Amino acid sequence: MHVLLTGASGAVGRFVLKRLLDDGYKVTVLGRRPVESFETGFCAYDLADRDPQLPPADALVHCALVHAPGKFRGGEGDDPERFTRLNVDGTRRLFEAAGKAGCRAIVFLSSRAVYGDHRRGETLTEADVPTPDTLYGEVKLAGEQALEALCGQDITGIVLRATGVYGLSPGLADHKWSGLFQEFAAGVPIGPRKATEVHGEDLAAAVALVLEKRGALGAAFQVYNVSDLLLDRRELLSLYAGEVGLSLNAPEASGKIPGEMTTDRLRALGWAPGGRERLKAFVQSLARLNEAGN
């Protein structure tokens, strides 16, 4: 099976790229440059392309997003018009071009932001009416709608609404908590926070799973939540301190609980994320890297 992949050089896309290659897929990276250390095909592509010309393929996985470095919410920076135009119009053109290239399955990496951050403490299900309250959430919802409009007898569209993604991406030296851990180790006061998380390998497993099951999903347009942990910074930093030998106090537990996505639909397909054991293994791997670097 030949899969086109956008966003392959990013922190999330690298997890997906490695999983697809490990599973034996032929992968063509769509982007500005090939991804080093991965044996893939390559096709020059940018979300700004007015008329994308894509190679023939069986499926597309769309992970790319134009945004300010390091930011998703707030990723529009000081140019929300450009952020919207590239990510909404560019995504719609990409989906249309993928259909013309023969892709019969399109997987779109969306976000829990489509539910809105205002739904604190609530359970978020795929049947809920999306009510985004950030431009990022609105852009992701527009991408979902563009995909749904294309779906029918010839194209199956699959949306994965992912929460925050942690883990050390293949080929990268830093991860989403690198700065947080460095500040904590330096004694910088850390504010309380509680958030939902999923390991990048578990997200990549969800992508591989829906591609594998695409012919048996039923409706031509499907939405799945992807989340694993409700994680408080106090728990995370206490775990980190214990593994690396820091005698520091973690921040107080947060009293603000975010909305949590149910993942029953994805688990019914066989998805089984690593939970706290995977979190612990990740932090332990960082401790080993620290020891090796000293």
Side-chain angles (χ1 to χ4, degrees):
M1 183 177 181
H2 184 194
V3 179
L4 308 178
L5 174 63
T6 72
S9 63
V12 174
R14 285 171 177 268
F15 283 113
V16 176
L17 175 57
K18 183 178 186 303
R19 178 58 188 256
L20 293 177
L21 291 174
D22 287 349
D23 283 1
Y25 289 103
K26 175 185 176 182
V27 179
T28 294
V29 168
L30 306 181
R32 296 174 183 172
R33 62 189 66 85
V35 183
E36 294 182 2
S37 303
F38 289 94
E39 295 295 327
T40 72
F42 174 73
C43 177
Y45 168 76
D46 192 288
L47 275 168
D49 291 349
R50 293 286 183 175
D51 184 21
Q53 299 298 311
L54 307 182
D58 302 297
L60 166 73
V61 178
H62 181 31
C63 298
L65 179 79
V66 175
H67 60 97
K71 291 186 177 181
F72 293 98
R73 290 171 177 79
E76 66 271 18
D78 59 0
D79 195 348
E81 188 278 330
R82 177 178 180 273
F83 178 80
T84 302
R85 172 170 44 83
L86 292 181
N87 289 305
V88 174
D89 295 341
T91 290
R92 175 182 49 77
R93 289 192 295 263
L94 173 66
F95 290 161
E96 292 171 350
K100 293 177 182 177
C103 294
R104 293 297 170 256
I106 298 177
V107 180
F108 175 50
L109 185 60
S110 188
S111 168
R112 72 180 299 279
V114 302
Y115 294 111
D117 291 334
H118 57 283
R119 295 186 57 185
R120 294 190 177 276
E122 295 185 38
T123 298
L124 312 176
T125 76
E126 294 92 341
D128 293 346
V129 176
T131 53
D133 51 10
T134 61
L135 184 56
Y136 171 64
E138 292 173 1
V139 161
K140 284 297 188 181
L141 180 58
E144 293 185 13
Q145 293 168 339
L147 179 55
E148 185 176 16
L150 278 180
C151 292
Q153 292 183 343
D154 293 334
I155 296 178
T156 297
I158 306 160
V159 168
L160 297 178
R161 290 176 177 165
T163 188
V165 180
Y166 78 93
L168 191 59
S169 302
L172 297 183
D174 292 324
H175 55 90
K176 69 177 291 183
W177 295 324
S178 292
L180 175 67
F181 289 169
Q182 290 168 6
E183 291 182 352
F184 176 62
V188 176
I190 305 295
R193 185 172 186 266
K194 190 172 291 184
T196 52
E197 304 286 348
V198 66
H199 194 283
E201 291 180 5
D202 289 322
L203 174 58
V207 173
L209 180 63
V210 296
L211 282 175
E212 176 190 349
K213 302 283 188 179
R214 65 193 182 281
L217 295 180
F221 180 73
Q222 299 275 331
V223 178
Y224 297 92
N225 290 335
V226 188
S227 185
D228 187 21
L229 302 172
L230 176 61
L231 182 62
D232 195 292
R233 272 185 180 171
R234 179 176 178 81
E235 177 188 357
L236 174 63
L237 294 176
S238 294
L239 176 61
Y240 179 71
E243 293 296 338
V244 301
L246 293 175
S247 299
L248 294 172
N249 292 324
E252 293 298 317
S254 174
K256 297 181 179 180
I257 302 175
E260 284 192 80
M261 297 190 295
T262 61
T263 57
D264 294 347
R265 295 194 69 215
L266 191 57
R267 290 173 187 268
L269 297 180
W271 187 65
R276 277 173 166 74
E277 286 302 312
R278 174 156 272 168
L279 173 68
K280 184 177 181 180
F282 167 63
V283 176
Q284 289 174 337
S285 72
L286 297 180
R288 290 193 294 270
L289 288 174
N290 287 344
E291 291 174 358
N294 292 333

Short mmCIF file of all heavy atoms in Angstrom, two decimals, residues 154-190:
data_model
loop_
_atom_site.label_atom_id
_atom_site.label_comp_id
_atom_site.label_asym_id
_atom_site.label_seq_id
_atom_site.Cartn_x
_atom_site.Cartn_y
_atom_site.Cartn_z
N ASP A 154 -16.25 6.48 -3.25
CA ASP A 154 -14.86 6.31 -3.69
C ASP A 154 -13.83 6.65 -2.61
O ASP A 154 -12.70 6.18 -2.68
CB ASP A 154 -14.59 7.19 -4.92
CG ASP A 154 -15.36 6.73 -6.14
OD1 ASP A 154 -15.69 5.53 -6.20
OD2 ASP A 154 -15.66 7.57 -7.00
N ILE A 155 -14.18 7.49 -1.65
CA ILE A 155 -13.21 7.95 -0.67
C ILE A 155 -13.74 7.74 0.74
O ILE A 155 -14.86 8.14 1.06
CB ILE A 155 -12.86 9.44 -0.87
CG1 ILE A 155 -12.19 9.65 -2.23
CG2 ILE A 155 -11.95 9.94 0.25
CD1 ILE A 155 -11.86 11.10 -2.54
N THR A 156 -12.92 7.12 1.58
CA THR A 156 -13.21 7.00 3.01
C THR A 156 -12.37 8.04 3.75
O THR A 156 -11.15 8.08 3.58
CB THR A 156 -12.86 5.60 3.53
OG1 THR A 156 -13.69 4.62 2.88
CG2 THR A 156 -13.07 5.51 5.04
N GLY A 157 -13.03 8.88 4.54
CA GLY A 157 -12.34 9.90 5.31
C GLY A 157 -12.33 9.54 6.79
O GLY A 157 -13.36 9.16 7.35
N ILE A 158 -11.18 9.65 7.41
CA ILE A 158 -11.02 9.29 8.82
C ILE A 158 -10.36 10.44 9.56
O ILE A 158 -9.24 10.84 9.22
CB ILE A 158 -10.18 8.00 8.98
CG1 ILE A 158 -10.78 6.87 8.14
CG2 ILE A 158 -10.09 7.61 10.45
CD1 ILE A 158 -9.81 5.75 7.84
N VAL A 159 -11.04 10.96 10.55
CA VAL A 159 -10.52 12.06 11.37
C VAL A 159 -10.06 11.49 12.70
O VAL A 159 -10.79 10.75 13.36
CB VAL A 159 -11.61 13.13 11.60
CG1 VAL A 159 -11.18 14.12 12.68
CG2 VAL A 159 -11.92 13.85 10.30
N LEU A 160 -8.85 11.85 13.09
CA LEU A 160 -8.33 11.50 14.41
C LEU A 160 -8.18 12.79 15.22
O LEU A 160 -7.32 13.62 14.91
CB LEU A 160 -6.98 10.79 14.29
CG LEU A 160 -6.98 9.45 13.56
CD1 LEU A 160 -5.57 8.89 13.48
CD2 LEU A 160 -7.92 8.44 14.23
N ARG A 161 -9.03 12.95 16.22
CA ARG A 161 -8.97 14.13 17.09
C ARG A 161 -8.01 13.83 18.23
O ARG A 161 -8.35 13.17 19.21
CB ARG A 161 -10.36 14.47 17.62
CG ARG A 161 -11.29 15.00 16.54
CD ARG A 161 -12.70 15.24 17.06
NE ARG A 161 -13.56 15.80 16.02
CZ ARG A 161 -14.88 15.85 16.10
NH1 ARG A 161 -15.52 15.37 17.17
NH2 ARG A 161 -15.58 16.38 15.11
N ALA A 162 -6.78 14.31 18.08
CA ALA A 162 -5.73 13.96 19.02
C ALA A 162 -5.59 15.02 20.11
O ALA A 162 -5.80 16.21 19.89
CB ALA A 162 -4.40 13.81 18.29
N THR A 163 -5.21 14.56 21.29
CA THR A 163 -4.87 15.46 22.38
C THR A 163 -3.39 15.79 22.30
O THR A 163 -2.74 15.53 21.28
CB THR A 163 -5.22 14.80 23.73
OG1 THR A 163 -5.06 15.74 24.77
CG2 THR A 163 -4.34 13.58 23.99
N GLY A 164 -2.82 16.38 23.37
CA GLY A 164 -1.40 16.69 23.39
C GLY A 164 -0.56 15.43 23.21
O GLY A 164 -0.88 14.38 23.75
N VAL A 165 0.51 15.54 22.44
CA VAL A 165 1.34 14.38 22.11
C VAL A 165 2.70 14.54 22.77
O VAL A 165 3.39 15.53 22.58
CB VAL A 165 1.51 14.24 20.58
CG1 VAL A 165 2.37 13.04 20.24
CG2 VAL A 165 0.14 14.14 19.90
N TYR A 166 3.09 13.53 23.54
CA TYR A 166 4.41 13.56 24.18
C TYR A 166 5.28 12.44 23.65
O TYR A 166 4.82 11.58 22.90
CB TYR A 166 4.27 13.47 25.71
CG TYR A 166 3.99 12.08 26.26
CD1 TYR A 166 5.03 11.25 26.66
CD2 TYR A 166 2.69 11.60 26.38
CE1 TYR A 166 4.78 9.97 27.17
CE2 TYR A 166 2.43 10.32 26.88
CZ TYR A 166 3.49 9.52 27.28
OH TYR A 166 3.24 8.26 27.77
N GLY A 167 6.55 12.45 24.04
CA GLY A 167 7.48 11.41 23.61
C GLY A 167 8.61 12.01 22.80
O GLY A 167 8.53 13.14 22.31
N LEU A 168 9.68 11.26 22.68
CA LEU A 168 10.85 11.70 21.91
C LEU A 168 10.72 11.21 20.48
O LEU A 168 10.81 10.01 20.21
CB LEU A 168 12.13 11.16 22.55
CG LEU A 168 13.46 11.73 22.03
CD1 LEU A 168 13.51 13.24 22.22
CD2 LEU A 168 14.63 11.07 22.75
N SER A 169 10.50 12.15 19.57
CA SER A 169 10.27 11.78 18.17
C SER A 169 11.52 11.21 17.54
O SER A 169 12.64 11.67 17.82
CB SER A 169 9.84 13.02 17.38
OG SER A 169 8.68 13.59 17.93
N PRO A 170 11.39 10.21 16.68
CA PRO A 170 12.55 9.62 16.01
C PRO A 170 13.36 10.69 15.27
O PRO A 170 12.83 11.45 14.47
CB PRO A 170 11.92 8.63 15.02
CG PRO A 170 10.60 8.29 15.63
CD PRO A 170 10.13 9.54 16.30
N GLY A 171 14.65 10.75 15.60
CA GLY A 171 15.54 11.69 14.92
C GLY A 171 15.63 13.06 15.53
O GLY A 171 16.41 13.90 15.06
N LEU A 172 14.86 13.34 16.59
CA LEU A 172 14.91 14.65 17.24
C LEU A 172 15.53 14.53 18.63
O LEU A 172 15.42 13.50 19.29
CB LEU A 172 13.51 15.26 17.35
CG LEU A 172 12.79 15.56 16.03
CD1 LEU A 172 11.45 16.23 16.31
CD2 LEU A 172 13.65 16.43 15.11
N ALA A 173 16.16 15.61 19.07
CA ALA A 173 16.84 15.60 20.37
C ALA A 173 15.97 16.13 21.48
O ALA A 173 16.21 15.83 22.66
CB ALA A 173 18.13 16.42 20.29
N ASP A 174 14.98 16.95 21.15
CA ASP A 174 14.12 17.57 22.15
C ASP A 174 12.70 17.03 22.04
O ASP A 174 12.30 16.48 21.02
CB ASP A 174 14.11 19.09 22.01
CG ASP A 174 15.45 19.71 22.37
OD1 ASP A 174 16.10 19.21 23.30
OD2 ASP A 174 15.85 20.69 21.71
N HIS A 175 11.94 17.24 23.11
CA HIS A 175 10.54 16.81 23.15
C HIS A 175 9.72 17.94 23.77
O HIS A 175 10.27 18.98 24.17
CB HIS A 175 10.40 15.52 23.95
CG HIS A 175 10.98 15.62 25.34
ND1 HIS A 175 10.24 16.03 26.43
CD2 HIS A 175 12.23 15.39 25.81
CE1 HIS A 175 11.00 16.04 27.50
NE2 HIS A 175 12.21 15.66 27.16
N LYS A 176 8.42 17.77 23.86
CA LYS A 176 7.53 18.86 24.28
C LYS A 176 7.79 19.33 25.70
O LYS A 176 7.47 20.47 26.04
CB LYS A 176 6.06 18.47 24.10
CG LYS A 176 5.59 17.39 25.07
CD LYS A 176 4.10 17.10 24.88
CE LYS A 176 3.23 18.23 25.33
NZ LYS A 176 1.80 17.93 25.22
N TRP A 177 8.35 18.47 26.54
CA TRP A 177 8.60 18.84 27.93
C TRP A 177 10.07 19.19 28.20
O TRP A 177 10.44 19.36 29.36
CB TRP A 177 8.17 17.71 28.86
CG TRP A 177 6.70 17.45 28.86
CD1 TRP A 177 5.69 18.37 28.75
CD2 TRP A 177 6.04 16.18 28.99
NE1 TRP A 177 4.47 17.77 28.78
CE2 TRP A 177 4.64 16.41 28.93
CE3 TRP A 177 6.50 14.88 29.14
CZ2 TRP A 177 3.70 15.38 29.03
CZ3 TRP A 177 5.57 13.84 29.23
CH2 TRP A 177 4.20 14.10 29.18
N SER A 178 10.88 19.30 27.16
CA SER A 178 12.30 19.59 27.38
C SER A 178 12.48 20.88 28.17
O SER A 178 13.23 20.92 29.16
CB SER A 178 13.03 19.70 26.03
OG SER A 178 13.11 18.45 25.38
N GLY A 179 11.83 21.95 27.75
CA GLY A 179 11.97 23.22 28.44
C GLY A 179 11.42 23.17 29.86
O GLY A 179 12.01 23.74 30.79
N LEU A 180 10.29 22.48 30.04
CA LEU A 180 9.68 22.36 31.36
C LEU A 180 10.63 21.64 32.32
O LEU A 180 10.84 22.09 33.46
CB LEU A 180 8.37 21.59 31.25
CG LEU A 180 7.65 21.26 32.57
CD1 LEU A 180 7.14 22.53 33.23
CD2 LEU A 180 6.51 20.28 32.32
N PHE A 181 11.21 20.54 31.88
CA PHE A 181 12.13 19.78 32.74
C PHE A 181 13.39 20.59 33.06
O PHE A 181 13.90 20.55 34.19
CB PHE A 181 12.50 18.46 32.08
CG PHE A 181 11.39 17.45 32.04
CD1 PHE A 181 11.50 16.31 31.27
CD2 PHE A 181 10.22 17.62 32.76
CE1 PHE A 181 10.49 15.36 31.22
CE2 PHE A 181 9.20 16.68 32.73
CZ PHE A 181 9.33 15.56 31.95
N GLN A 182 13.88 21.33 32.08
CA GLN A 182 15.08 22.14 32.31
C GLN A 182 14.81 23.24 33.34
O GLN A 182 15.63 23.48 34.24
CB GLN A 182 15.56 22.74 31.00
CG GLN A 182 16.16 21.73 30.04
CD GLN A 182 16.35 22.28 28.64
OE1 GLN A 182 16.15 23.48 28.38
NE2 GLN A 182 16.75 21.42 27.71
N GLU A 183 13.68 23.90 33.22
CA GLU A 183 13.33 24.95 34.17
C GLU A 183 13.12 24.37 35.57
O GLU A 183 13.56 24.96 36.57
CB GLU A 183 12.07 25.69 33.71
CG GLU A 183 12.29 26.53 32.46
CD GLU A 183 11.05 27.28 32.05
OE1 GLU A 183 9.97 27.03 32.66
OE2 GLU A 183 11.13 28.10 31.13
N PHE A 184 12.46 23.24 35.63
CA PHE A 184 12.23 22.61 36.93
C PHE A 184 13.55 22.24 37.60
O PHE A 184 13.76 22.50 38.79
CB PHE A 184 11.36 21.36 36.73
CG PHE A 184 11.12 20.56 37.97
CD1 PHE A 184 10.46 21.11 39.06
CD2 PHE A 184 11.56 19.24 38.06
CE1 PHE A 184 10.23 20.37 40.22
CE2 PHE A 184 11.33 18.49 39.20
CZ PHE A 184 10.67 19.06 40.29
N ALA A 185 14.47 21.65 36.82
CA ALA A 185 15.77 21.26 37.37
C ALA A 185 16.59 22.47 37.81
O ALA A 185 17.41 22.37 38.74
CB ALA A 185 16.55 20.45 36.33
N ALA A 186 16.34 23.61 37.16
CA ALA A 186 17.07 24.84 37.51
C ALA A 186 16.45 25.57 38.68
O ALA A 186 16.95 26.62 39.10
CB ALA A 186 17.16 25.76 36.29
N GLY A 187 15.34 25.05 39.20
CA GLY A 187 14.70 25.68 40.35
C GLY A 187 13.73 26.79 40.00
O GLY A 187 13.27 27.53 40.88
N VAL A 188 13.38 26.92 38.72
CA VAL A 188 12.41 27.93 38.30
C VAL A 188 11.02 27.50 38.79
O VAL A 188 10.63 26.35 38.60
CB VAL A 188 12.41 28.07 36.76
CG1 VAL A 188 11.32 29.05 36.32
CG2 VAL A 188 13.77 28.52 36.27
N PRO A 189 10.27 28.40 39.42
CA PRO A 189 8.92 28.03 39.88
C PRO A 189 8.04 27.60 38.70
O PRO A 189 8.00 28.26 37.67
CB PRO A 189 8.40 29.32 40.52
CG PRO A 189 9.63 30.10 40.89
CD PRO A 189 10.64 29.78 39.82
N ILE A 190 7.35 26.50 38.87
CA ILE A 190 6.49 25.95 37.83
C ILE A 190 5.03 26.04 38.29
O ILE A 190 4.70 25.60 39.39
CB ILE A 190 6.83 24.47 37.53
CG1 ILE A 190 8.31 24.32 37.18
CG2 ILE A 190 5.93 23.93 36.44
CD1 ILE A 190 8.73 25.01 35.91
#
